[in-house]
Amino acid sequence: MNILELSEQEIVRRQCLQELRDMGIDPYPAAEYPVNAYSDDIKENFNEDEKRNVIIAGRLMSRRVMGKASFAEIQDSKGRIQIYITRDDICPGEDKSMYNNVFKRLLDIGDFIGVEGFVFKTQTGEISVHAQNIKLLSKSLKPLPIVKYKDGVAYDKFDDPELRYRQRYVDLIVNDGVKDTFIKRATVLRTLRNVLDEAGYTEVETPTLQTIAGGASARPFITHFNALNTDMYMRIATELYLKRLIVGGFEGVYEIGKNFRNEGMDRNHNPEFTCMELYVQYKDYNWMMSFTENLLEKICIAVNGKPEQEIDGKVISFKAPYRRLPILDAIKEKTGYDLNGMSEDEIREVCKKLNMEIDETMGKGKLIDEIFGEFCEGTFIQPTFIIDYPVEMSPLTKMHRSKPGLTERFELMVNGKELANAYSELNDPIDQEERFKEQMRLADKGDDEAMIIDQDFLRALQYGMPPTSGIGIGIDRLVMLMTGKTTIQEVLFFPQMRPEKTIPRSTVAEWAALGVPEEWVPVFNKAGYNLTSDIKEVKAQKLQMDVCGVNKKYKLGYENPKVDEFQKWIDAANA
């Protein structure tokens, strides 16, 4: 890396790195460091009557040098702890360089160090480690954005959302509570698996690359499979493959994995998201509602110690049971319109009366979905099962056993958003084929989210699938609810981001066309002249002072061009 691409602090750190190497200290040792204690364990198990020797390691987060003694703070995977270091303890012989040179001058905030010593309590009552030996484990070459406080006001906070999500590794280091969110995410997944495994269901894996994007209504990502010379889809759901396994004889199967939908990004949507889908034979959607509400109650207790969680200033209770409300009743309740028995044209007229933006590609199911989404969905804060969807909205769902035109489907709404979608699964292959054909008719009208016919899935159904209930739960939204977060980016380690903006720069060839030598191009850039056009209006004397000033400051050793040479370059830029 060119030195001119580094900040002054980065240059100083690299100089320290070289000085350490010159002293014979490896800044990146490979050998195991035998850690036997962690910050939380040391504090929780402190006993003043017993001397405890420990070996700990972590990132240096602060340092207060006071002559021959110093205090520091290191951050390990469990938290932070104070270290007390004296010159004569870590340098018992004549050579004091480990303290005077290494600790005081060559170590930087962010470096990983190992500490051997014993636990004690300071006069101010803080449990600390008295160091008897320190070892550099990894040199940090970039300075951390450490928050500073003065008169109760925080400065240099690392709180810009785009920077935090783009550089999650820094966010985890310097911002309290971020790591805890992802530990809770792990608890959600662990509890979910435990409940499903204890119920006797089998965790499986199905293809991510699929020849048909099926199992949901969504726009897929498309890629090309070179070996087969065919276009493939990133899966939008795992449903159709999991049902094949039910056909094959599994009692219950589930998969926790990534789905991909080539749609928008906002506070509640990420194109790459984690979903859990479960299918159990001989069950229906009534059983699945009871199973789901008990599952979520157990997860909330595991994460928060109680069945309630506060989010957006509202306390949401996951304690079973939850309200069950037919979707058409919900629409009537919120809009005053009863859609029962209405045709597609009649529902289209209702949409117009509600001043909704609709188009001709929308079928009956899509229109109902749009009405519910705009007027109803956001109003359900406490967990609510919205049930009995019209058949046009549910191409993979069994017809309702007692309500003509409706299906045995539910969606679970929590805090105004869908969390889960579930059915009494359609297992009639003839009916299923007709539903697929209707989806293709919608696709012909221009609906790019309509399902494609999966002939192999139809073939599997023809071998016979037992009565089955299935559900899909959005894990990212579930974690948002369980941790009280209001944006999906807060619960994803690495959410999708737009490409980073880069400063436009003229190429070396473009600078060479003006006569500027190649080695001087980075110097011009460091001085703030990134494009050849940037020098057009600059006086030659100022350009020389700026550019040659960089040469002097960074001790590059180049022979400074004369003023008339700068003038030639300016003239060439204006030519």
Side-chain angles (χ1 to χ4, degrees):
M1 178 177 285
N2 192 306
I3 191 172
L4 296 180
E5 297 178 22
L6 303 174
S7 68
E8 291 187 38
Q9 287 190 60
E10 289 175 301
I11 292 170
V12 169
R13 287 184 178 225
R14 288 175 186 244
Q15 291 170 346
C16 291
L17 177 75
Q18 187 57 51
E19 193 169 337
L20 287 163
R21 285 183 166 140
D22 293 342
M23 293 175 65
I25 297 173
D26 184 354
Y28 304 104
E32 174 191 5
Y33 192 74
V35 172
N36 64 12
Y38 296 91
S39 54
D40 60 348
D41 156 59
I42 291 171
K43 293 175 183 178
E44 291 170 7
N45 298 297
F46 176 69
N47 184 347
E48 284 188 284
D49 299 325
E50 179 182 313
K51 182 178 179 181
R52 181 185 178 188
N53 294 310
V54 296
I55 302 174
I56 61 173
R59 193 185 289 274
L60 184 64
M61 298 301 290
S62 69
R63 176 176 51 191
R64 289 173 287 139
V65 177
M66 300 173 292
K68 297 179 182 180
S70 301
F71 284 97
E73 187 179 43
I74 66 171
Q75 178 173 294
D76 63 14
S77 60
K78 308 296 184 182
R80 294 190 181 191
I81 193 165
Q82 180 172 268
I83 310 297
Y84 176 63
I85 302 170
T86 69
R87 185 190 68 181
D88 294 336
D89 279 334
I90 67 169
C91 305
E94 293 296 321
D95 184 2
K96 306 296 182 184
S97 59
M98 179 54 74
Y99 183 80
N100 292 335
N101 294 336
V102 177
F103 177 76
K104 290 173 64 175
R105 193 169 56 82
L106 301 180
L107 291 187
D108 290 295
I109 302 302
D111 290 354
F112 279 90
I113 63 171
V115 178
E116 295 182 50
F118 60 89
V119 183
F120 78 110
K121 184 181 287 187
T122 66
Q123 291 181 345
T124 59
E126 184 167 355
I127 297 170
S128 309
V129 175
H130 188 129
Q132 296 172 304
N133 182 47
I134 62 171
K135 180 179 177 64
L136 175 62
L137 300 178
S138 182
K139 184 71 181 158
S140 171
L141 299 183
K142 278 190 174 291
L144 289 171
I146 300 296
V147 181
K148 303 176 184 67
Y149 294 91
K150 184 176 181 181
D151 300 326
V153 179
Y155 296 90
D156 299 328
K157 293 175 68 176
F158 190 70
D159 57 2
D160 178 78
E162 181 166 341
L163 273 178
R164 289 183 52 235
Y165 305 150
R166 202 179 291 281
Q167 300 180 35
R168 182 67 83 187
Y169 37 89
V170 178
D171 188 32
L172 288 163
I173 296 168
V174 302
N175 286 327
D176 294 337
V178 175
K179 188 175 183 180
D180 185 57
T181 295
F182 292 97
I183 290 173
K184 288 182 176 180
R185 182 184 178 109
T187 301
V188 168
L189 289 169
R190 185 170 57 252
T191 307
L192 176 61
R193 277 191 168 94
N194 288 343
V195 172
L196 297 177
D197 290 345
E198 288 171 5
Y201 308 139
T202 304
E203 183 172 9
V204 299
E205 294 174 296
T206 60
T208 300
L209 287 175
Q210 302 180 353
T211 55
I212 293 175
S217 297
R219 186 182 299 116
F221 285 94
I222 304 174
T223 187
H224 188 76
F225 197 148
N226 290 335
L228 298 178
N229 192 27
T230 185
D231 286 340
M232 301 285 282
Y233 300 96
M234 302 290 285
R235 71 181 179 198
I236 57 175
T238 57
E239 177 169 344
L240 301 187
Y241 279 96
L242 293 174
K243 285 181 179 178
R244 286 168 166 91
L245 299 181
I246 295 295
V247 170
F250 280 87
E251 176 193 0
V253 290
Y254 73 93
E255 181 169 8
I256 301 173
K258 295 286 189 180
N259 290 342
F260 306 85
R261 298 184 181 178
N262 197 357
E263 298 167 348
M265 296 187 296
D266 58 29
R267 294 164 60 92
N268 296 289
H269 299 86
N270 194 65
E272 174 186 355
F273 63 98
T274 304
C275 186
M276 187 285 296
E277 289 199 43
L278 165 71
Y279 294 85
V280 185
Q281 63 182 8
Y282 310 125
K283 307 296 184 185
D284 65 4
Y285 79 141
N286 293 309
W287 175 89
M288 189 62 81
M289 279 187 266
S290 298
F291 184 85
T292 300
E293 59 195 6
N294 287 313
L295 170 67
L296 296 182
E297 181 178 349
K298 288 177 182 177
I299 290 174
C300 191
I301 291 172
V303 174
N304 299 301
K306 56 184 179 180
E308 295 84 30
Q309 169 62 23
E310 183 174 334
I311 184 169
D312 278 343
K314 304 177 287 284
V315 176
I316 295 175
S317 174
F318 288 93
K319 189 169 181 59
Y322 306 157
R323 184 188 183 194
R324 304 181 183 193
L325 178 66
I327 186 171
L328 297 184
D329 290 358
I331 290 173
K332 182 178 179 181
E333 183 180 290
K334 302 299 180 181
T335 69
Y337 288 96
D338 186 352
L339 305 186
N340 269 298
M342 282 192 181
S343 67
E344 180 180 318
D345 289 339
E346 289 172 325
I347 294 174
R348 196 177 298 277
E349 287 303 313
V350 170
C351 290
K352 292 177 182 177
K353 292 176 183 178
L354 292 171
N355 298 315
M356 294 176 59
E357 292 184 11
I358 57 173
D359 59 59
E360 294 305 314
T361 69
M362 295 179 179
K364 183 176 179 180
K366 187 74 169 177
L367 293 170
I368 294 172
D369 192 32
E370 290 292 312
I371 295 172
F372 180 81
E374 185 161 339
F375 294 97
C376 308
E377 183 173 340
T379 66
F380 297 105
I381 304 305
Q382 297 301 324
T384 304
F385 291 117
I386 303 299
I387 65 173
D388 300 345
Y389 282 65
V391 64
E392 294 85 358
M393 299 178 68
S394 313
L396 299 170
T397 312
K398 183 170 286 191
M399 295 295 292
H400 200 286
R401 68 197 75 172
S402 61
K403 298 178 181 178
L406 302 181
T407 60
E408 295 194 350
R409 172 186 175 188
F410 72 78
E411 289 186 315
L412 175 59
M413 301 294 164
V414 188
N415 198 36
K417 295 294 176 185
E418 175 199 342
L419 176 61
N421 188 18
Y423 319 142
S424 293
E425 300 294 340
L426 179 59
N427 60 347
D428 179 341
I430 297 174
D431 188 0
Q432 180 65 83
E433 185 172 11
E434 288 303 313
R435 306 271 193 99
F436 274 147
K437 288 179 179 178
E438 176 59 30
Q439 287 288 299
M440 294 304 293
R441 283 190 281 272
L442 292 175
D444 291 340
K445 288 174 64 177
D447 187 346
D448 59 2
E449 294 185 355
M451 291 189 198
I452 302 172
I453 296 178
D454 187 333
Q455 295 292 350
D456 182 69
F457 175 65
L458 289 176
R459 179 168 56 196
L461 285 187
Q462 288 170 23
Y463 281 100
M465 185 175 83
T468 299
S469 183
I471 188 170
I473 297 177
I475 298 300
D476 305 320
R477 287 191 183 175
L478 176 59
V479 175
M480 287 172 64
L481 291 166
M482 295 302 170
T483 58
K485 300 301 179 184
T486 57
T487 61
I488 196 170
Q489 290 81 11
E490 291 290 343
V491 301
L492 299 173
F493 271 127
F494 304 107
Q496 294 294 331
M497 304 289 290
R498 297 183 186 279
E500 288 189 73
K501 293 180 180 178
T502 56
I503 298 172
R505 288 181 173 175
S506 295
T507 64
V508 171
E510 289 171 322
W511 284 103
L514 306 182
V516 177
E518 180 178 336
E519 67 270 18
W520 280 93
V521 173
V523 186
F524 271 79
N525 295 158
K526 190 68 173 180
Y529 302 101
N530 293 302
L531 301 172
T532 55
S533 58
D534 292 342
I535 68 172
K536 286 184 175 181
E537 307 298 325
V538 183
K539 293 188 178 300
Q541 291 85 353
K542 182 180 186 317
L543 186 59
Q544 182 195 42
M545 182 174 64
D546 290 343
V547 174
C548 294
V550 172
N551 183 32
K552 178 181 179 180
K553 179 178 180 179
Y554 291 95
K555 302 176 183 178
L556 301 177
Y558 300 153
E559 184 177 344
N560 289 327
K562 303 297 184 183
V563 172
D564 60 346
E565 290 183 79
F566 281 98
Q567 187 61 56
K568 288 179 183 177
W569 298 336
I570 293 171
D571 292 341
N574 283 285

